[in-house]
Amino acid sequence: MELTSDALMNSLLALGSAALVATLWIWPRLARQRPLPVLGRVGLLTVTQASVLAVLALSVNNSFGFYTSWDDLLSPGGTKLALTSNENHKGGAPAGDALLVPTDEGGMEGVGDLPKGAPEEVGKVESVRITGQETGLSDQMFVYLPPEYFDPKLGLTRFPVMLAIAGYPGTTLNLMKDLPVIQTAAELQRTGKMQPAIVVLARPTLAPPRNTECVDVTGGPRTETWFTKDVPDALRSAYRIGRSPASWGVFGYSTGGSCALRLAMRFPTVFGSAGGLHADFKVNEDQFTGGSLFGGDRALAEQSDLAWRLQNLPAPPLSMLVVSTRKEADYPQTVQFVELAQQVAAANPQFQAESMYLDDGGHNFESWVRELPASLEWMGHHLG
């Protein structure tokens, strides 16, 4: 059973219930102070408490997404897999000894409303594990291939790609279960409101449970290099994906939105468009980041402050979308940043900044779900 599966959770709940009933029933018979009755009482308590603790641990893990599979839990480095070149990849594992392997990691079987049918009719969702050659980081991702990807007439066509990043401490599955990115993108593409595009789902946490904010941590995980070098190189080697920045967009909510805007601002040669739902515009260092991510280097921290970049560096060739609600606690700061970005855009045509706001809503999935269709439609219009 997979680490995140409902079957494992239900089995442990059943074991815990059975152990509790057995304890209540057998305990009076083990009241004597002899070795065997004492060992029996210890065994009953151990089984009961272990099953309860296991259920609690699984619940926390499934909510926060620290580990997505047994390999992820037991082998922190993950299986050393890489996406290898296969220009005519049609979905699924390539022939031969290539290292792109579909996997059940992440519990995709628990998502009930994914497109179902023949790939050439509804597209296909693949689960893959990537290991970066540059950083050595390894993680599991989901890749949605649109129906057009399987059309023989488009066999030489390279498709635009949107990288979607979940919030912290969420899992990649949050981008299907709680925020239906693939489902919404597939419907928008089907109705012609979004051009056919490959959608890649990722999480920001490469060193769980630490929140690295998608930056290269001083003396730690190089998460920024992972997203801007390893992931694009790996995906291009295995899928028919466009190679220019105009073909690449990055999108996310909460921490993932912060990552999306920051990655695109810092690496416009990788991403030509970016959309952030309820994002922050500078790196917030707290107990979840494990203290300072930049080793106390103020100049290094300023490089990841988006307002500072707009005020002190040339405007990047980039299209940016900022999405939030007028009831968010940081709404004034968001408006202030958007106004600054639009002032820069007015003087630099290669840089565009747009915004969308809900009249109500908070920092939660209910708001993000309402914002998703318009945000993805915007992303689709800005993918080359």
Side-chain angles (χ1 to χ4, degrees):
M1 288 179 282
E2 286 295 326
L3 180 64
T4 57
S5 67
D6 292 337
L8 178 60
M9 177 70 76
N10 293 335
S11 297
L12 287 173
L13 284 171
L15 176 62
S17 301
L20 177 61
V21 171
T23 300
L24 294 174
W25 182 54
I26 299 177
W27 192 268
R29 305 183 185 188
L30 300 176
R32 303 178 68 179
Q33 299 301 316
R34 291 185 178 181
L36 287 179
V38 170
L39 289 175
R41 295 198 298 271
V42 170
L44 287 173
L45 290 175
T46 299
V47 172
T48 302
Q49 292 187 18
S51 58
V52 170
L53 289 174
V55 169
L56 290 174
L58 280 178
S59 299
V60 171
N61 183 69
N62 291 348
S63 297
F64 294 104
F66 298 129
Y67 304 98
T68 60
S69 69
W70 291 111
D71 285 341
D72 198 9
L73 173 63
L74 302 176
S75 303
T79 305
K80 297 300 181 183
L81 300 178
L83 300 183
T84 57
S85 181
N86 187 358
E87 290 296 327
N88 295 317
H89 177 52
K90 300 298 183 183
D97 59 355
L99 295 179
L100 171 62
V101 291
T103 171
D104 291 331
E105 287 183 271
M108 187 168 59
E109 70 280 357
V111 183
D113 57 347
L114 289 174
K116 292 181 173 61
E120 60 272 16
E121 296 177 356
V122 299
K124 182 182 181 183
V125 181
E126 296 187 345
S127 177
V128 299
R129 174 167 283 271
I130 300 173
T131 295
Q133 293 184 344
E134 183 77 17
T135 65
L137 295 171
S138 179
D139 204 13
Q140 175 264 345
M141 294 182 175
F142 294 107
V143 179
Y144 169 70
L145 304 172
E148 291 81 2
Y149 190 88
F150 302 92
D151 187 343
K153 297 178 181 178
L154 302 176
L156 298 179
T157 299
R158 293 186 180 277
F159 288 77
V161 59
M162 184 187 73
L163 173 64
I165 306 176
Y168 174 86
T171 71
T172 313
L173 273 176
N174 287 134
L175 293 165
M176 287 190 281
K177 283 187 173 181
D178 301 295
L179 189 67
V181 173
I182 285 180
Q183 299 92 318
T184 304
E187 179 62 18
L188 289 173
Q189 293 180 32
R190 186 188 67 82
T191 57
K193 296 180 180 179
M194 181 178 179
Q195 64 173 308
I198 293 172
V199 181
V200 181
L201 309 185
R203 61 175 177 171
T205 311
L206 273 295
R210 188 180 190 184
N211 178 14
T212 58
E213 288 279 349
C214 300
V215 304
D216 281 356
V217 180
T218 301
R222 299 167 60 198
T223 318
E224 183 179 71
T225 302
W226 160 263
F227 280 115
T228 58
K229 173 65 176 174
D230 286 341
V231 171
D233 284 352
L235 292 170
R236 287 192 188 103
S237 73
Y239 295 100
R240 302 195 312 275
I241 288 177
R243 300 186 180 276
S244 70
S247 298
W248 281 73
V250 57
F251 167 86
Y253 68 89
S254 191
T255 299
S258 307
C259 290
L261 299 182
R262 191 181 310 116
L263 292 171
M265 283 277 287
R266 285 177 51 79
F267 294 89
T269 57
V270 178
F271 301 106
S273 58
L277 275 57
H278 300 227
D280 293 321
F281 307 107
K282 64 179 180 179
V283 175
N284 295 314
E285 298 176 311
D286 52 25
Q287 68 271 27
F288 300 109
T289 63
S292 176
L293 296 172
F294 303 106
D297 189 329
R298 179 179 176 182
L300 197 58
E302 285 179 338
Q303 292 291 324
S304 293
D305 184 327
L306 301 192
W308 183 92
R309 295 185 68 87
L310 288 175
Q311 292 169 325
N312 294 276
L313 299 176
L318 173 70
S319 296
M320 172 188 293
L321 175 67
V322 175
V323 183
S324 190
T325 75
R326 292 184 171 86
K327 297 296 185 181
E328 268 277 35
D330 61 353
Y331 173 68
Q333 292 91 332
T334 300
V335 171
Q336 184 178 11
F337 173 81
V338 170
E339 289 177 348
L340 171 62
Q342 290 178 340
Q343 290 173 8
V344 173
N348 299 272
Q350 79 277 11
F351 178 68
Q352 300 177 20
E354 300 180 62
S355 61
M356 294 191 297
Y357 302 107
L358 287 177
D359 289 333
D360 59 356
H363 199 84
N364 52 52
F365 280 106
E366 191 274 334
S367 296
W368 300 328
V369 168
R370 288 192 288 154
E371 296 161 351
L372 183 63
S375 301
L376 292 187
E377 191 171 345
W378 182 95
M379 290 293 299
H381 286 312
H382 288 79
L383 286 174

